[in-house]
Amino acid sequence: MTLSVQHLWLIPALPLLAAAIGALTPSGGRTLAASAAIAAMVAAFVLSCCALVAALADPTANLTYNFTWFDLGTGAVRLGWLLNPLTAFMCVMVTFVGTLIFVFSLGYMHDDENFTRFFCFLSLFAAAMLGIVVSNSLLFLFVSWELVGLASYLLIGFWFQKPEAAAAAKKAFITTRIGDLGLLLGMVWLYHARGTLLFFDGGAGVLEPASLTALMVSTLSCGLAVSTAISLLIFCGAVGKSGQFPLHVWLPDAMEGPTPVSALIHAATMVAAGVFLIARIYPLMEADYHHHNLPIHALTVVAFIGAITALMGALIAVAQNDIKRVLAFSTVSQLGFMMLAIGVGSWVAAIFHLLTHAFFKALLFLGAGSVIHAAHHEQDMRKLGGLSGPMRVTFLTFAVGMMALAGVPFLFSGFWSKEAILHAAHAWDVSHIPLYFGLTAVVLTAFYMTRLVAETFFGKPRSHAAGLAHENPAVMTVPLVILAACAILLSLLAWPTPWLQHQLDPQAHTEPGGLSLMMLSIVLVALGLGAGWALYGRLLRTNASAPDPLAAALPRLHAFLAARMMFDELYAATFGRLSNGLAALADGLDRYVWGGLVNLVARLGQFGGLVNREADEDGLNAGFDAVSRKVRSVGQIYSRAQTGETHGYLRVIALGFVVLVLLVMLGGVR
Amino acid sequence: MNALPCTIYISFTGALLALVAGIRSAATARVVALLTALTSFGVTLMAAMDFVPGPGLQTLINHPWIPQLGIRYHLAADGISMTLIVLTGIAAVAGILFSWNIEERAGEFFAFFLTLIGGVYGVFLSADAFTLFVFYEIAIVPKYFLIANWGSTNREYGAMKLVLYSFAGSALVLAGLLWAYAAGGAHSFGIGDLAAAARHFSPALQTGMFALVFLGFAVLAGLFPFHTWAPTGHVAAPTAASMLLAGVVMKLGAYGCLRVAMPLFPLGLAFWQPAIAGLAIVGILYAGLVALVQDDFKFVIGYSSVSHMGFVLLGLAAANAQAVSGAVLQMFSHGVIAGLLFAVVGRMVYERTHTRQLEDLRKMPLHRLMPFAAATFVLAGLASMGMPGFSGFPAELTILIGTWKTAPMWALAAAVGVPVAAAFTLRVIQVSFFGSTEAKAVPATAVHPLPPITLAEKTGALLLLGATLLVGLKPDLLFDWINPALQSPLFQAMFKGGTP
Amino acid sequence: MNTLQLCLLISSALFCIGLAGALSRTNTILVLLGIELMLNAANLNFIAFWRFNPAPLPATGVIFVIFAIAVAAAEAAVGLALVIAIYRHQQNIRLQDATRLKG
């Protein structure tokens, strides 16, 4: 049975539907929300398998289905679905690992009062990640990308009552958003340059030769090819999302969320998105590669960032005490490996490592979750210990995960994927520095994973909580067993024949593996394991406060690494202070300068009014008043004649009459 | 379609009726006001049904008004006005739903409210610069009374500042229009006629006139550094008035810029373009940063409005079809989202807790006390920070795409506003609703149960949320109106910098 | 001395009596009476001049007198009303006491 590309949208739509159901379910409907989420994931897994069948029918084909989202008048914004082996493998991985994590959450989150909300967010997270995977358009990928960021925010901050969780959620969101800024700008530029954001569109897509040539040929004033600039901007998004140096700071904090969330973020969904994005747009990243007179190639940047991240993550992980934090930094380191692989030109190796890493990292995180759940939320490995006895299944599966991550040879999938990366790095003709960084990281990885297992599971319980720990119910252990089986069985993808690599990229010619390099890495892994065992396994810690042997030997370096190379402090002191200062400055400007100017104008108006009032009262009014007073005083003089004496009036009348008569008689008046 | 002018008359009649009904009881006034708003919104929707998008304004009514001066009562609509009229309808209905608890002099309140709405409808429908100006003034006056009578914090100051700013802007606009009228000698205030006359002006003349008219309108659109009326005005205003203020009144300014200032004086636009874009970008970043450190919940939203309007002004300044269509979509989007944010802050939170200080809100487990408000605010906040799925995303994306076309550096600088918006929105979400980190530490008796969210509030919130989601998922609904309108010769000449 | 002169003589006497009364009396009513007498003296003059006119005109004098009498009646009515008002106010009708309208 196959799934045609028109119906590919069903894969993300199903978990989205489950998220909607979860959102509308009242908090009492735990069964409904959880079963909807898990059923949707299982169904999406089945569909993904069908899609895989369809994709493998012709691994070279890029099946697409495009449609218009909105019309911009002078051009339309189009979205679409893309089905090729890369999509299909990612879908299968995400839905499979996702399903197991969902099932594990049933047990882990059993006592949480916001159980339904948790499953709603988980489904949203998975849906968004699947949206990234199936998208044939950078824009739809970006939309899903943002939704991944949103879901991670909601999930990391799920226990927002804890201030650290709230802060970590905000940090994750804003840090990744800073990277997304680059992605957004790269997308806008790409749209401006090509008028479309579709990856494949029958020859007109941005990843197809015509477009790549056009982007590569045009150069900027600084000498960069347009394709390099766009690639690097898009890479910023991946740096943020995949926790690469220098935007890795959010990833270790993200484990403040519930452990299944950490598993989901670190294994299947969020951090994988960045690597996936770069693998998806690999043709664009690579476009400038054969163009020799450019100052910088996009892939070179990717390789070095990846190498730095791989080494830095491994170094910091050595000095962490929190189980989840060690795992978190190991994720940073492994993501660095993946980026390194893409940078040195082998995106296939990166995807292979992404897939195997998803399984064993999910296994490790769920195993850690199992330990934490059993030990009543004690995460400090110095206070654990002695769990190998009471938690047999967890211990064994965790050990499988640890060996896969450390790259123990032949049996474990991690070994093969790591070999592929080192091999590609060795074959890179630009520089061997990434290879050396990677090899160092291999030693360190084996070292800190040995320490983690030794401290957590061996010896005697070093705290009351650890002493009481016992194995978890089957709902939590069965996913561990399945994942452990996968961590081993996935070796079959690469051995005895590199099947996966052929499916992903049939044109890639895999030269016979350099045996010496493989021997070297086996020796290095053994060295790491041996050093770890010598320092932490042989002489087991007796109580929680006993000093770390490494810290005793190299106290300053250890403290520096334990403080995570001071990145948080550095950012707080630079960007944090800068933005706070700017904000305070802007606030002050608004309050005092602009507001003050406006108030000054108002005051001036008021002052003018005051002046006018005074002029009115003292000048105009006074003049009128004086004239009025004069008139009144004259009137008062005249009013004296008005005596009120009637006889007086009569007398005057009579007198007047006499005068009149006299005048008439004397003939004065004619 | 031809019934559109009725929206104006219905609103003014409704204002009178509400005034009369208010004598009997507040409840009657509310019902009358709601019915009025619903009727005019219904008329708008009916008109939207049979609206055929096309280039240029479609005349609805055209009568001589003051023939001696060539002033005509000329109402017309195109896709841009339709978009904003629908926004006005939504904002009016939602605003009334969120004022359902007004008891004190409710008749007068709704009378002022509906007068304002009528004026706004009038502005969006006017095709004669003078008619537009008259409606613009009608819309300004009720704002003062709404804020000064029913407002809160520092209301007289806020109201006075707002009105003085608005009138100062109007004075500039009037001066510019009269100048163009006198210099052109076309004996008409029709926008098309003025533009035809302005084509013969020298560049220097156009530059001067554009500065007057654009600045006058842009004051009301919150152009930095003339934005300071907005935060204080928003904070002082009662909820419904802040919703209208941010939702539609700021759009009046932007609409005036787009409808009058820019097509009339394309050479002036070309001259001032970098300055406007610069100020808009500064406004985006500056207001975002200021919002980051505010202690008052409503100030944060007030500054976020200024920041979002910066995107609108940037889109206008970029002056190409994509950027301008994005700007129009952003006007719609911001109108709906800002309305929602102010509704949550002003009505749901402030009128129940009686505080807007983030420090006080931090101590209350608001997410437990009012889960609906918390969920609404989270969604509105996401919309405000441009999360895909909400209308802000296609709008800002289109603006950035268009701006990139004009000048990539502008887009680069403006895009920095996106993480800043995320930062201040998340901060305020966490502090206000999810701030109580020790929910159990607060004794149950210390927290008074807050009154439940009423049906009217829920309806209003869902209306606004629905609008932003609908447009976010299917921006074509509005782009199909906006884009043809931008094909009109007037706008095309403007995009080409004045060459017809 | 003819009849006209006699009439004028009588009317003059009447006028003087009225004037003397109006000026000398303190009782308001008597002052009013004096004024009435003066009016009647004037009336007598009208009649006399009309009657002894060598070319008598139509009844001009008589009409004048009738008017004057009507006006005098109205005046008397108003005057007496004033007297009553004054009495009510000051419990007597002495004209010297009614000086409230002085300026």
Side-chain angles (χ1 to χ4, degrees), chain B residues 151-163:
Chain B
S152 52
T153 324
N154 219 353
R155 59 190 183 189
E156 266 118 26
Y157 174 74
M160 188 52 90
K161 197 167 171 185
L162 188 159
V163 167

Side-chain angles (χ1 to χ4, degrees), chain B residues 147-475:
Chain B
I147 297 174
N149 284 332
W150 290 272
S152 52
T153 324
N154 219 353
R155 59 190 183 189
E156 266 118 26
Y157 174 74
M160 188 52 90
K161 197 167 171 185
L162 188 159
V163 167
L164 288 183
Y165 255 114
S166 312
F167 279 131
S170 311
L172 293 181
V173 170
L174 190 62
L177 285 180
L178 289 179
W179 188 5
Y181 174 81
H187 200 64
S188 162
F189 272 103
I191 288 172
D193 298 335
L194 280 179
R199 202 163 298 153
H200 308 296
F201 293 169
S202 68
L205 210 53
Q206 280 212 19
T207 309
M209 290 173 184
F210 177 83
L212 284 179
V213 179
F214 189 91
L215 189 61
F217 279 121
V219 163
L220 209 55
L223 177 73
F224 176 89
F226 306 104
H227 64 280
T228 53
W229 64 269
T232 45
H234 285 137
V235 169
T239 303
S242 349
M243 290 173 67
L244 281 195
L245 209 54
V248 293
V249 172
M250 289 182 98
K251 310 302 168 302
L252 290 185
Y255 181 80
C257 294
L258 174 61
R259 176 69 76 202
V260 182
M262 291 166 53
L264 249 51
F265 315 114
L267 296 179
L269 171 65
F271 179 82
W272 290 107
Q273 200 175 12
I276 299 167
L279 288 180
I281 291 166
V282 171
I284 293 171
L285 300 178
Y286 172 88
L289 284 172
V290 178
L292 208 49
V293 290
Q294 292 305 305
D295 303 320
D296 186 308
F297 201 172
K298 227 174 174 179
F299 264 113
V300 178
I301 312 296
Y303 278 107
S304 85
S305 274
V306 176
S307 182
H308 284 131
M309 287 306 288
F311 270 104
V312 172
L313 289 168
L314 178 65
L316 295 182
N320 59 47
Q322 273 147 13
V324 171
S325 68
V328 176
L329 192 66
Q330 173 81 343
M331 288 191 213
F332 181 90
S333 161
H334 173 253
V336 172
I337 295 167
L340 195 54
L341 290 170
F342 276 118
V344 174
V345 176
R347 174 75 182 89
M348 295 186 186
V349 174
Y350 179 62
E351 289 184 9
R352 288 184 171 78
T353 63
H354 302 288
T355 179
R356 284 191 317 252
Q357 291 302 309
L358 290 174
E359 274 314 305
D360 297 340
L361 292 172
R362 185 199 281 279
K363 298 182 191 112
M364 303 181 190
L366 281 188
H367 61 101
R368 269 168 210 279
L369 297 176
M370 38 173 105
F372 183 84
T376 312
F377 191 76
V378 169
L379 289 176
L382 293 176
S384 165
M385 64 173 108
M387 190 50 70
F390 298 98
S391 52
F393 176 70
E396 286 177 11
L397 179 72
T398 319
I399 292 175
L400 286 180
I401 287 178
T403 309
W404 190 286
K405 213 174 194 174
T406 307
M409 287 318 289
W410 297 355
L412 224 69
V416 178
V418 173
V420 175
F424 71 71
T425 312
L426 289 185
R427 167 176 172 264
V428 78
I429 287 179
Q430 285 194 347
V431 171
S432 57
F433 283 100
F434 302 97
S436 160
T437 47
E438 308 90 21
K440 294 182 187 78
V442 180
T445 49
V447 180
H448 304 289
L450 301 175
I453 305 285
T454 62
L455 180 67
E457 290 168 66
K458 285 188 180 169
T459 320
L462 290 179
L463 173 71
L464 294 174
L465 269 181
T468 177
L469 271 173
L470 188 66
V471 174
L473 294 175
K474 188 131 183 56

